[in-house]
Structure formats: structure tokens, C-alpha cells
Amino acid sequence: MVDDPWSSALHRLWQAASRAEEVAALADDVYAPLLATPGVHRVVGTRWDGRQVLRYMRALSAGSDTPVIVATTRSMPGAGVREPGGEPVVDRVEAAGLDDAVWPEAEFLREAPGGSVVSCTFRLDQRGWAALTLAVDASADLAAVESRLTQAVDVIVACHTGILQRGREARRGADDALLAEASLQMDSSLDVEDTLRRVARIAVPAVADGALVHLARGEGPEFVAATHVAVQQQRALEAAGRDDPWLAALLARRGEDEDTMFLSGAALDGSPFADPAATAADAAAADADATDAATADADAADAGEGHHPTVVSVSPLRARGRVLGTITFVYQRPEARLPDSAFLRSLATRAALAIDNALLYELRRTAVLSLQEHLLPSQLPVTDRWDLSASYAVGDPMLDVGGDFYDAVLRPDGSIALLIGDVCGRGAEAAALTGLARHTLRTLLEEGTDAGTALSRLNRALRQERASRFLTAVVATLAPQADGTVLLSTCSAGHPPPLVLRGDGTVSEVLSGGLLLGVLDDVSYESHQERLTPDDTLVLFTDGLTESREAGGTFFESVLPARLAALRGSDAAHIAESLARQARAFRDSGQDDIALLVARWTGLPPDSGLLPPDHRLEQAALR
């Protein structure tokens, strides 16, 4: 079997190429076997970018183990005649005839014995090309030299292609992971402002060095969020997002059908991103590259730190067929690390959906709260004899309209009727029944109908309407007496019993009972009576208060009497708000609304006798 050193070297070269993480790592495996070829005295490799800028040169002579390495950013327009097209190109020339403006390798090739040159130029990718050149003497078999040279080039190209492919796969995996994390982060909040801030933060610094988010408004783009890896630059970025006319004009021109737009160089003239120092910085970087030529190579020069021209991308935030705004990214990094349009389009789409969901949620929240307000009285009667207050807390995070309601009604005989109720379930049907129940009871009580009859007539109306939901309610009628006390008459339809906080701090439960409303026909309701004295407080509430449950399973109902007793001496507003706040803080589970209606009897003025009807308050309550 004939030993073929070149075949063995080529085999080792392919093995090294499969493991290499950069093309420069193949240099020893390429140069040594080529120099072992008979008649070859020197190998010189060069690396170029697409602008005929020499980035890297490496020369090695036969018999030497130390290459000469030059890393630079030398512009050589004349070298454009050597730039290959699609396939590698092999040339044979005489060293003496080399033009230094075209062949930077000439200084090394002329020194080699023999005077002939065999060179192969080949394209690495769209951004750059390379050349591998041999200095040979007359003894060289030129056909064999060309064959070995093209085989070595094939390995280099395959190695570079594999590195790029693995890089693309790794980047694609990183991009997919980033997009998945972005979706989780942006979808974790339904607050509009928080979502917009998350959109700006999620891509910095993984995707870009800075980000701006604007919403589309009728009067033009509205700045909402900005972030940057550098605090000082973030302040400048925020100022540009709010006030810069160039940026405002650019964003206003974004069309419905436009994709991501990249801007750099002269396209940024007049913008807050223009970089007048870029040219000087590039020159300084070139000097630094030349200084470090002994240890740098072309790949390091590409990926090195230092100044990079600013690039700006603008992507529309589009959801449900409409543009919600734009996300602007600012980059100060090598071109190889810029994201592609497909990735930015995917990120913008996810951001737009998160923003759209937050906006829709905000609209729904506003609509629900507005509807909820219309289902409750706009104000309670104001009188110097009663301290009245109420509290309502929405407990459902999905913001369906709740069925809790309350009201206070001044009656013709000078008494006041307090009512509170709870419709089963949530949503539009519950809201409709809430309105029916409150307005029916209010109308009947204003006309002087007694509480039991009012509840019976409401039950009849619900049965006639074939309502699919039941409700609970309680009506407490408070009638001042000549001795300064109040006659409390309570009539309940399956509702939680009210509590009375006495002036001495004791808490008692008002007796109540009765069937739910809307379940059976022809139901009657009876009243229970007791007395209130000055500074006694009546507290009516829905089950959202008592059924708030802590993590250990304890209901707020078990601590409510003690919490209420601790509020002795407080006015009605403080009692209502404090109990609602404590229940929400106590709650680990349970999402029902909480409604409270509190009435504190302040007593009759001296020598007032029986309390006459106050027609002014009655008219005020009707407004």
C-alpha cells in the first residue's frame, strides 16, 4: 500500500474542519501540508469583506513554524478585480508582475524563491471572500499544486458553511427561547402601562441596546416606554421618544402594510440617533486593530468590542388587522449580531397581541366599573341624624359585573329603609336582575310599602320574568322614636344577618330568616324588631365579606365580630372601608364582590319630639 501524505493530511483537515468553531483554527492544518508539497515555498492567506477591505493576512514559509499575522482594516479598491463570483477562481501569475494595490500578499510572495504564484480566490459568504496563495518554483507540478489548493479551499468553505449553519441553528434556538420568554413575560400582566414597560425591557440587551414603544393615537404617535443598557443613554432615549420631531415624523409615516424598516448611515442624518463621531471612532478602531495585529484575526476583528455604527429598526405593532403603534430598536453592535426581519416581526406580533389584550382588558374594566356604578346609588341621603356610608369592592379578576347591590331610601313617614342584596352569579344576566331588584325595592319602599310586602312583590316579579337566578336581600327599616331611640325592623330573604355595634362596643347579630327570592311562588316575609340607641351602628353586608377565606381555611366571618368591635367610636365611612380592606387583606381564596352599608344613629336633637318627614332630604334622594 502506497503511503500518500497528502491524502492523510486532507483526511486530518476534514476532521479538524468538523470540529472547528472558526475558520482561523484550520490554519495549521491547511498551511503545513501545502508547504510539504514539492516546489511550494510560501503560503499566504487573506480575508476580505465585501467593500474590498482587507481584514486579515497570514503568511508562513517552508521550514518555519511561526507565521506572520496581520489584522487590519485596509481599504484596497483595486482588489475588487480579484473578488470571485460564485465558484472559486484559480490564477497563475509571476510574482514580479504583482500590483501592490491589488495584491497585498506581494511583499511576502516576492521574497520566496521561484518567482511563480498560484492563487485561489473564493467566496465565504455574502459579506466576504478570501484568497489562498502559494509561492512556487519551477520544480512544482502546477497541476498537482492547483488540485491540492482547490481541495484545501473546499475544506475551508465547507468548514465556514458549517460554522454559519451551526451559528444559525444556535441563534434560531436562542431566538425561539427569547420569543417564548417574551410571550410569558408580556402575557403575565393585563395592566396596560406594565405591559408596555415589559415590551420595552424584554428585548434589551438580548436583541438590541435600546428600545422605544409608541402607541398610535389620532393626534400622532404617543411615547409610552423606553429602556437602554446605559442609564445616561436611556434618559436621552426617553427624551427623543417624547419630543423629537424627526422620530415623530418617521413613526407617523408608518403604513398599515409596512414591515420592519432598518435605518443606518445617511438615513439617520438629522435624527437623535445620528453619530457624527462614527468615522473618527472607526479610524481609532483600525489603529487599535493594527496595534494588536500579532494576536488578532479577522473573526476577532468582526466581533470585537469598540465603536459600531448605529442602526435603528422600526417595527409596526399590529393586532387584529390594525396598527396599535411601533417598537423601535437601537443597535450599537456588529452587523452579524443584528436580528433579522422575521425575528423582529414575530417579536412585534407577540408584543402587539399582549398590548391589545391589555387595552381590551382596560376597556372592559372601564365598561364594567361604569355599569357597576349605574347599578348602585350615586349617593346616599345626607342628614344630621344619620351617619350613612357604603363600600363596594370588585373581587372578580375577570371583571364580570357582579350582582351585589345596596341602597338607602327616605320614606314618607320620616323613617329610612336600608336594603342590600346579592344576585347569584355574575355577568349580564346578573346585572339585569340586580337593576330590577334594586329599583323595584327602592320604588316600593319610597311609596311607603312595608318591607315584607316589598320583598314579596319583588319575588312575584322575578317569578313572572322566569328569572333563572335567585337572589338574597335584607331590608332594614329605621324609624326614630320620641324617646331618642330607633325602632329597627329587619326583613330578610335568605341574606346574611346584619350586625349591630353598640355604643359600649358589644356586637350582636340581628335575627333574620326567610326564603330566597325567585325560587317559589307566593312567599311571605316577616319582620323582626329591636331598638337602637344613639351611637349604635347597623352594618349590612353581602357574603363576599364573610366568605373571604385565609390560607388556613378560616373564614372572615369568624373574626368579623371582633374586627367590628375594634372599630367602636368610628364613623360609618371608616367602618365600611376598614372592614372591606381587612377582608381583602385576609382573603387568600374567594373572589366574590364585597358590599357594605353602614348606618350610625347619632340621635335626635334636644326637644325635637317625633321626627317629622324631611321632604328636602326625600327630594334630594330622588334626584
Short mmCIF file of all heavy atoms in Angstrom, two decimals, residues 425-482:
data_model
loop_
_atom_site.label_atom_id
_atom_site.label_comp_id
_atom_site.label_asym_id
_atom_site.label_seq_id
_atom_site.Cartn_x
_atom_site.Cartn_y
_atom_site.Cartn_z
N GLY A 425 -74.39 34.57 40.95
CA GLY A 425 -73.60 34.60 39.72
C GLY A 425 -73.17 35.99 39.31
O GLY A 425 -73.32 36.97 40.04
N ARG A 426 -72.58 36.04 38.09
CA ARG A 426 -72.04 37.29 37.57
C ARG A 426 -72.45 37.42 36.11
O ARG A 426 -73.00 36.51 35.52
CB ARG A 426 -70.52 37.31 37.68
CG ARG A 426 -69.97 36.91 39.04
CD ARG A 426 -68.46 37.09 39.08
NE ARG A 426 -68.10 38.50 39.02
CZ ARG A 426 -68.05 39.29 40.08
NH1 ARG A 426 -68.34 38.83 41.28
NH2 ARG A 426 -67.71 40.56 39.96
N GLY A 427 -72.12 38.56 35.53
CA GLY A 427 -72.36 38.74 34.10
C GLY A 427 -73.59 39.56 33.79
O GLY A 427 -74.22 40.16 34.68
N ALA A 428 -73.96 39.56 32.52
CA ALA A 428 -75.03 40.43 32.04
C ALA A 428 -76.37 40.09 32.67
O ALA A 428 -77.14 40.98 33.06
CB ALA A 428 -75.12 40.34 30.51
N GLU A 429 -76.67 38.80 32.78
CA GLU A 429 -77.97 38.42 33.36
C GLU A 429 -78.04 38.81 34.83
O GLU A 429 -79.08 39.32 35.31
CB GLU A 429 -78.18 36.92 33.20
CG GLU A 429 -79.58 36.47 33.66
CD GLU A 429 -79.80 34.98 33.46
OE1 GLU A 429 -78.87 34.30 33.00
OE2 GLU A 429 -80.92 34.53 33.76
N ALA A 430 -76.95 38.60 35.55
CA ALA A 430 -76.92 39.01 36.95
C ALA A 430 -77.09 40.51 37.07
O ALA A 430 -77.79 41.01 37.97
CB ALA A 430 -75.60 38.56 37.60
N ALA A 431 -76.46 41.28 36.16
CA ALA A 431 -76.58 42.73 36.19
C ALA A 431 -78.03 43.16 35.95
O ALA A 431 -78.54 44.08 36.58
CB ALA A 431 -75.66 43.35 35.15
N ALA A 432 -78.70 42.48 35.01
CA ALA A 432 -80.10 42.83 34.72
C ALA A 432 -80.98 42.59 35.93
O ALA A 432 -81.84 43.43 36.28
CB ALA A 432 -80.59 42.01 33.52
N LEU A 433 -80.78 41.46 36.61
CA LEU A 433 -81.59 41.17 37.80
C LEU A 433 -81.24 42.12 38.95
O LEU A 433 -82.10 42.49 39.75
CB LEU A 433 -81.37 39.72 38.24
CG LEU A 433 -82.00 38.66 37.34
CD1 LEU A 433 -81.73 37.27 37.91
CD2 LEU A 433 -83.51 38.89 37.22
N THR A 434 -79.96 42.50 39.03
CA THR A 434 -79.55 43.46 40.05
C THR A 434 -80.31 44.78 39.89
O THR A 434 -80.85 45.34 40.86
CB THR A 434 -78.04 43.72 39.98
OG1 THR A 434 -77.34 42.51 40.22
CG2 THR A 434 -77.61 44.78 40.98
N GLY A 435 -80.35 45.28 38.65
CA GLY A 435 -81.08 46.52 38.39
C GLY A 435 -82.56 46.38 38.69
O GLY A 435 -83.17 47.28 39.29
N LEU A 436 -83.14 45.25 38.29
CA LEU A 436 -84.58 45.02 38.55
C LEU A 436 -84.85 45.00 40.04
O LEU A 436 -85.80 45.64 40.53
CB LEU A 436 -85.00 43.71 37.90
CG LEU A 436 -86.41 43.21 38.24
CD1 LEU A 436 -87.46 44.16 37.70
CD2 LEU A 436 -86.63 41.79 37.70
N ALA A 437 -84.02 44.26 40.80
CA ALA A 437 -84.26 44.10 42.23
C ALA A 437 -84.11 45.43 42.97
O ALA A 437 -84.98 45.81 43.77
CB ALA A 437 -83.29 43.06 42.80
N ARG A 438 -83.02 46.14 42.71
CA ARG A 438 -82.80 47.38 43.44
C ARG A 438 -83.86 48.42 43.15
O ARG A 438 -84.40 49.05 44.08
CB ARG A 438 -81.40 47.94 43.13
CG ARG A 438 -81.15 49.28 43.82
CD ARG A 438 -79.73 49.68 43.78
NE ARG A 438 -79.26 50.69 42.94
CZ ARG A 438 -79.69 51.92 42.71
NH1 ARG A 438 -80.76 52.32 43.10
NH2 ARG A 438 -79.10 52.79 42.02
N HIS A 439 -84.16 48.61 41.89
CA HIS A 439 -85.13 49.65 41.54
C HIS A 439 -86.55 49.27 41.95
O HIS A 439 -87.34 50.15 42.33
CB HIS A 439 -85.05 49.94 40.04
CG HIS A 439 -83.79 50.63 39.64
ND1 HIS A 439 -83.52 51.94 39.99
CD2 HIS A 439 -82.71 50.19 38.94
CE1 HIS A 439 -82.33 52.28 39.52
NE2 HIS A 439 -81.81 51.24 38.88
N THR A 440 -86.88 47.98 41.93
CA THR A 440 -88.21 47.56 42.40
C THR A 440 -88.36 47.83 43.89
O THR A 440 -89.36 48.42 44.34
CB THR A 440 -88.43 46.06 42.11
OG1 THR A 440 -88.38 45.84 40.70
CG2 THR A 440 -89.77 45.59 42.66
N LEU A 441 -87.36 47.40 44.67
CA LEU A 441 -87.44 47.62 46.12
C LEU A 441 -87.42 49.11 46.44
O LEU A 441 -88.18 49.58 47.31
CB LEU A 441 -86.27 46.92 46.82
CG LEU A 441 -86.33 45.38 46.86
CD1 LEU A 441 -85.07 44.82 47.50
CD2 LEU A 441 -87.57 44.91 47.63
N ARG A 442 -86.57 49.87 45.78
CA ARG A 442 -86.49 51.29 46.05
C ARG A 442 -87.83 51.98 45.80
O ARG A 442 -88.31 52.78 46.62
CB ARG A 442 -85.39 51.93 45.19
CG ARG A 442 -85.26 53.43 45.41
CD ARG A 442 -84.23 54.06 44.49
NE ARG A 442 -84.18 55.49 44.73
CZ ARG A 442 -83.41 56.08 45.64
NH1 ARG A 442 -82.61 55.35 46.41
NH2 ARG A 442 -83.43 57.39 45.81
N THR A 443 -88.43 51.67 44.65
CA THR A 443 -89.72 52.31 44.30
C THR A 443 -90.79 51.99 45.32
O THR A 443 -91.54 52.87 45.79
CB THR A 443 -90.16 51.87 42.90
OG1 THR A 443 -89.15 52.25 41.95
CG2 THR A 443 -91.48 52.50 42.52
N LEU A 444 -90.90 50.70 45.70
CA LEU A 444 -91.93 50.29 46.65
C LEU A 444 -91.70 50.92 48.02
O LEU A 444 -92.65 51.39 48.67
CB LEU A 444 -91.96 48.77 46.76
CG LEU A 444 -92.42 48.01 45.50
CD1 LEU A 444 -92.23 46.51 45.67
CD2 LEU A 444 -93.90 48.33 45.22
N LEU A 445 -90.46 50.94 48.47
CA LEU A 445 -90.17 51.49 49.79
C LEU A 445 -90.38 52.99 49.83
O LEU A 445 -90.83 53.55 50.84
CB LEU A 445 -88.74 51.13 50.20
CG LEU A 445 -88.48 49.64 50.44
CD1 LEU A 445 -87.00 49.36 50.60
CD2 LEU A 445 -89.25 49.15 51.68
N GLU A 446 -90.05 53.68 48.72
CA GLU A 446 -90.29 55.12 48.67
C GLU A 446 -91.78 55.43 48.75
O GLU A 446 -92.18 56.48 49.28
CB GLU A 446 -89.72 55.70 47.37
CG GLU A 446 -88.21 55.90 47.39
CD GLU A 446 -87.69 56.43 46.06
OE1 GLU A 446 -88.37 56.24 45.03
OE2 GLU A 446 -86.61 57.03 46.07
N GLU A 447 -92.60 54.54 48.24
CA GLU A 447 -94.05 54.76 48.26
C GLU A 447 -94.66 54.43 49.61
O GLU A 447 -95.87 54.61 49.81
CB GLU A 447 -94.71 53.91 47.18
CG GLU A 447 -94.34 54.33 45.76
CD GLU A 447 -94.92 53.38 44.71
OE1 GLU A 447 -95.40 52.29 45.11
OE2 GLU A 447 -94.88 53.71 43.52
N GLY A 448 -93.85 53.92 50.55
CA GLY A 448 -94.36 53.62 51.88
C GLY A 448 -94.73 52.17 52.08
O GLY A 448 -95.24 51.80 53.14
N THR A 449 -94.48 51.31 51.07
CA THR A 449 -94.79 49.88 51.21
C THR A 449 -93.91 49.28 52.29
O THR A 449 -92.71 49.58 52.39
CB THR A 449 -94.54 49.15 49.88
OG1 THR A 449 -95.27 49.80 48.84
CG2 THR A 449 -94.94 47.70 49.97
N ASP A 450 -94.49 48.42 53.15
CA ASP A 450 -93.69 47.81 54.20
C ASP A 450 -92.71 46.82 53.59
O ASP A 450 -92.90 46.31 52.47
CB ASP A 450 -94.57 47.13 55.23
CG ASP A 450 -95.30 45.93 54.67
OD1 ASP A 450 -94.72 44.82 54.69
OD2 ASP A 450 -96.43 46.10 54.15
N ALA A 451 -91.62 46.52 54.32
CA ALA A 451 -90.53 45.72 53.78
C ALA A 451 -90.97 44.33 53.36
O ALA A 451 -90.56 43.82 52.30
CB ALA A 451 -89.41 45.63 54.81
N GLY A 452 -91.82 43.65 54.18
CA GLY A 452 -92.25 42.30 53.84
C GLY A 452 -93.02 42.26 52.54
O GLY A 452 -92.81 41.37 51.70
N THR A 453 -93.92 43.23 52.38
CA THR A 453 -94.70 43.28 51.14
C THR A 453 -93.81 43.59 49.94
O THR A 453 -93.98 43.01 48.85
CB THR A 453 -95.80 44.35 51.26
OG1 THR A 453 -96.64 44.04 52.37
CG2 THR A 453 -96.63 44.42 49.99
N ALA A 454 -92.85 44.49 50.13
CA ALA A 454 -91.93 44.84 49.03
C ALA A 454 -91.14 43.62 48.58
O ALA A 454 -90.99 43.38 47.37
CB ALA A 454 -90.99 45.95 49.48
N LEU A 455 -90.66 42.81 49.52
CA LEU A 455 -89.92 41.61 49.15
C LEU A 455 -90.83 40.59 48.46
O LEU A 455 -90.41 39.94 47.49
CB LEU A 455 -89.27 40.98 50.39
CG LEU A 455 -88.09 41.75 50.99
CD1 LEU A 455 -87.64 41.12 52.31
CD2 LEU A 455 -86.92 41.81 50.00
N SER A 456 -92.05 40.45 48.92
CA SER A 456 -92.99 39.52 48.28
C SER A 456 -93.30 39.93 46.85
O SER A 456 -93.36 39.10 45.94
CB SER A 456 -94.29 39.44 49.10
OG SER A 456 -94.05 38.89 50.38
N ARG A 457 -93.51 41.23 46.64
CA ARG A 457 -93.79 41.71 45.29
C ARG A 457 -92.58 41.56 44.37
O ARG A 457 -92.71 41.26 43.18
CB ARG A 457 -94.27 43.15 45.35
CG ARG A 457 -95.65 43.29 46.00
CD ARG A 457 -96.10 44.72 46.10
NE ARG A 457 -96.27 45.34 44.78
CZ ARG A 457 -96.73 46.58 44.60
NH1 ARG A 457 -97.07 47.30 45.66
NH2 ARG A 457 -96.87 47.07 43.40
N LEU A 458 -91.36 41.74 44.91
CA LEU A 458 -90.17 41.50 44.11
C LEU A 458 -90.07 40.02 43.75
O LEU A 458 -89.74 39.66 42.60
CB LEU A 458 -88.92 41.93 44.88
CG LEU A 458 -87.57 41.57 44.22
CD1 LEU A 458 -87.46 42.19 42.83
CD2 LEU A 458 -86.40 42.02 45.10
N ASN A 459 -90.37 39.14 44.69
CA ASN A 459 -90.33 37.70 44.41
C ASN A 459 -91.32 37.34 43.30
O ASN A 459 -91.01 36.56 42.40
CB ASN A 459 -90.65 36.92 45.68
CG ASN A 459 -90.61 35.41 45.46
OD1 ASN A 459 -89.54 34.83 45.32
ND2 ASN A 459 -91.79 34.80 45.41
N ARG A 460 -92.53 37.96 43.36
CA ARG A 460 -93.54 37.69 42.33
C ARG A 460 -93.05 38.17 40.95
O ARG A 460 -93.22 37.51 39.93
CB ARG A 460 -94.85 38.37 42.70
CG ARG A 460 -96.04 37.97 41.81
CD ARG A 460 -97.31 38.68 42.25
NE ARG A 460 -97.52 38.57 43.68
CZ ARG A 460 -97.66 39.58 44.51
NH1 ARG A 460 -97.64 40.82 44.04
NH2 ARG A 460 -97.87 39.38 45.79
N ALA A 461 -92.39 39.34 40.93
CA ALA A 461 -91.89 39.86 39.66
C ALA A 461 -90.81 38.96 39.07
O ALA A 461 -90.76 38.71 37.86
CB ALA A 461 -91.32 41.27 39.87
N LEU A 462 -89.95 38.43 39.93
CA LEU A 462 -88.90 37.53 39.45
C LEU A 462 -89.50 36.25 38.88
O LEU A 462 -89.03 35.73 37.85
CB LEU A 462 -87.93 37.19 40.59
CG LEU A 462 -87.07 38.35 41.12
CD1 LEU A 462 -86.29 37.92 42.35
CD2 LEU A 462 -86.11 38.84 40.04
N ARG A 463 -90.53 35.72 39.53
CA ARG A 463 -91.16 34.51 39.03
C ARG A 463 -91.88 34.76 37.71
O ARG A 463 -91.85 33.92 36.80
CB ARG A 463 -92.16 33.98 40.08
CG ARG A 463 -91.52 33.59 41.40
CD ARG A 463 -90.58 32.41 41.25
NE ARG A 463 -91.35 31.20 40.89
CZ ARG A 463 -90.81 30.06 40.46
NH1 ARG A 463 -89.48 30.01 40.28
NH2 ARG A 463 -91.56 29.02 40.19
N GLN A 464 -92.50 35.93 37.60
CA GLN A 464 -93.19 36.25 36.34
C GLN A 464 -92.20 36.43 35.19
O GLN A 464 -92.51 36.12 34.04
CB GLN A 464 -94.02 37.52 36.52
CG GLN A 464 -95.24 37.33 37.41
CD GLN A 464 -95.95 38.63 37.70
OE1 GLN A 464 -95.45 39.72 37.41
NE2 GLN A 464 -97.15 38.54 38.30
N GLU A 465 -91.02 36.96 35.50
CA GLU A 465 -89.98 37.14 34.48
C GLU A 465 -89.25 35.84 34.17
O GLU A 465 -88.40 35.81 33.29
CB GLU A 465 -88.96 38.18 34.97
CG GLU A 465 -89.50 39.59 35.04
CD GLU A 465 -89.80 40.16 33.67
OE1 GLU A 465 -89.12 39.76 32.70
OE2 GLU A 465 -90.73 40.98 33.56
N ARG A 466 -89.61 34.76 34.89
CA ARG A 466 -88.95 33.45 34.73
C ARG A 466 -87.42 33.58 34.86
O ARG A 466 -86.66 33.02 34.08
CB ARG A 466 -89.31 32.82 33.38
CG ARG A 466 -90.80 32.58 33.20
CD ARG A 466 -91.08 31.88 31.88
NE ARG A 466 -92.49 31.67 31.69
CZ ARG A 466 -93.19 30.65 32.19
NH1 ARG A 466 -92.58 29.75 32.93
NH2 ARG A 466 -94.49 30.55 31.96
N ALA A 467 -87.02 34.34 35.85
CA ALA A 467 -85.59 34.53 36.09
C ALA A 467 -84.93 33.20 36.43
O ALA A 467 -85.46 32.41 37.21
CB ALA A 467 -85.38 35.52 37.23
N SER A 468 -83.78 32.94 35.81
CA SER A 468 -83.08 31.67 36.03
C SER A 468 -82.15 31.74 37.22
O SER A 468 -81.52 30.74 37.57
CB SER A 468 -82.27 31.31 34.77
OG SER A 468 -81.31 32.30 34.49
N ARG A 469 -82.06 32.89 37.87
CA ARG A 469 -81.17 33.05 39.02
C ARG A 469 -81.98 33.47 40.24
O ARG A 469 -83.01 34.13 40.11
CB ARG A 469 -80.10 34.11 38.74
CG ARG A 469 -79.19 33.76 37.55
CD ARG A 469 -78.32 34.95 37.20
NE ARG A 469 -77.53 34.71 36.02
CZ ARG A 469 -76.24 34.40 36.03
NH1 ARG A 469 -75.61 34.30 37.18
NH2 ARG A 469 -75.59 34.18 34.90
N PHE A 470 -81.51 33.08 41.40
CA PHE A 470 -82.14 33.53 42.65
C PHE A 470 -81.31 34.65 43.23
O PHE A 470 -80.19 34.93 42.80
CB PHE A 470 -82.26 32.37 43.63
CG PHE A 470 -80.96 31.79 44.08
CD1 PHE A 470 -80.24 32.38 45.13
CD2 PHE A 470 -80.43 30.66 43.47
CE1 PHE A 470 -79.04 31.85 45.55
CE2 PHE A 470 -79.22 30.14 43.89
CZ PHE A 470 -78.52 30.72 44.93
N LEU A 471 -81.87 35.31 44.24
CA LEU A 471 -81.12 36.35 44.93
C LEU A 471 -81.52 36.39 46.39
O LEU A 471 -82.60 35.92 46.77
CB LEU A 471 -81.31 37.71 44.26
CG LEU A 471 -82.71 38.32 44.22
CD1 LEU A 471 -82.92 39.26 45.40
CD2 LEU A 471 -82.89 39.09 42.93
N THR A 472 -80.61 36.95 47.18
CA THR A 472 -80.90 37.17 48.60
C THR A 472 -80.98 38.67 48.83
O THR A 472 -80.39 39.47 48.09
CB THR A 472 -79.80 36.58 49.50
OG1 THR A 472 -78.58 37.30 49.28
CG2 THR A 472 -79.58 35.10 49.20
N ALA A 473 -81.71 39.08 49.87
CA ALA A 473 -81.81 40.50 50.19
C ALA A 473 -82.27 40.66 51.63
O ALA A 473 -82.87 39.75 52.21
CB ALA A 473 -82.80 41.20 49.25
N VAL A 474 -81.96 41.80 52.19
CA VAL A 474 -82.46 42.15 53.51
C VAL A 474 -82.82 43.64 53.48
O VAL A 474 -82.12 44.45 52.87
CB VAL A 474 -81.42 41.85 54.61
CG1 VAL A 474 -80.17 42.66 54.45
CG2 VAL A 474 -82.03 42.07 56.00
N VAL A 475 -83.96 43.96 54.12
CA VAL A 475 -84.41 45.35 54.23
C VAL A 475 -84.51 45.69 55.71
O VAL A 475 -85.18 44.99 56.47
CB VAL A 475 -85.76 45.58 53.54
CG1 VAL A 475 -86.20 47.03 53.72
CG2 VAL A 475 -85.70 45.21 52.06
N ALA A 476 -83.78 46.75 56.09
CA ALA A 476 -83.82 47.21 57.49
C ALA A 476 -84.46 48.59 57.51
O ALA A 476 -83.94 49.53 56.91
CB ALA A 476 -82.42 47.25 58.08
N THR A 477 -85.60 48.70 58.21
CA THR A 477 -86.29 49.98 58.32
C THR A 477 -85.99 50.59 59.68
O THR A 477 -86.15 49.94 60.72
CB THR A 477 -87.81 49.79 58.17
OG1 THR A 477 -88.08 49.12 56.93
CG2 THR A 477 -88.52 51.13 58.18
N LEU A 478 -85.53 51.84 59.66
CA LEU A 478 -85.11 52.53 60.88
C LEU A 478 -86.05 53.70 61.13
O LEU A 478 -86.07 54.67 60.37
CB LEU A 478 -83.67 53.02 60.72
CG LEU A 478 -82.64 51.93 60.38
CD1 LEU A 478 -81.35 52.56 59.87
CD2 LEU A 478 -82.36 51.07 61.58
N ALA A 479 -86.83 53.57 62.19
CA ALA A 479 -87.83 54.60 62.50
C ALA A 479 -87.49 55.27 63.82
O ALA A 479 -87.60 54.65 64.90
CB ALA A 479 -89.23 53.98 62.57
N PRO A 480 -87.05 56.54 63.83
CA PRO A 480 -86.74 57.25 65.07
C PRO A 480 -87.98 57.37 65.96
O PRO A 480 -89.09 57.60 65.47
CB PRO A 480 -86.27 58.62 64.58
CG PRO A 480 -85.79 58.38 63.17
CD PRO A 480 -86.73 57.34 62.63
N GLN A 481 -87.77 57.25 67.26
CA GLN A 481 -88.85 57.34 68.24
C GLN A 481 -88.68 58.60 69.09
O GLN A 481 -87.61 59.22 69.13
CB GLN A 481 -88.85 56.10 69.13
CG GLN A 481 -88.92 54.79 68.37
CD GLN A 481 -90.20 54.64 67.56
OE1 GLN A 481 -91.30 54.71 68.13
NE2 GLN A 481 -90.06 54.47 66.24
N ALA A 482 -89.78 58.99 69.77
CA ALA A 482 -89.79 60.22 70.55
C ALA A 482 -88.79 60.17 71.71
O ALA A 482 -88.30 61.22 72.17
CB ALA A 482 -91.19 60.49 71.09
#
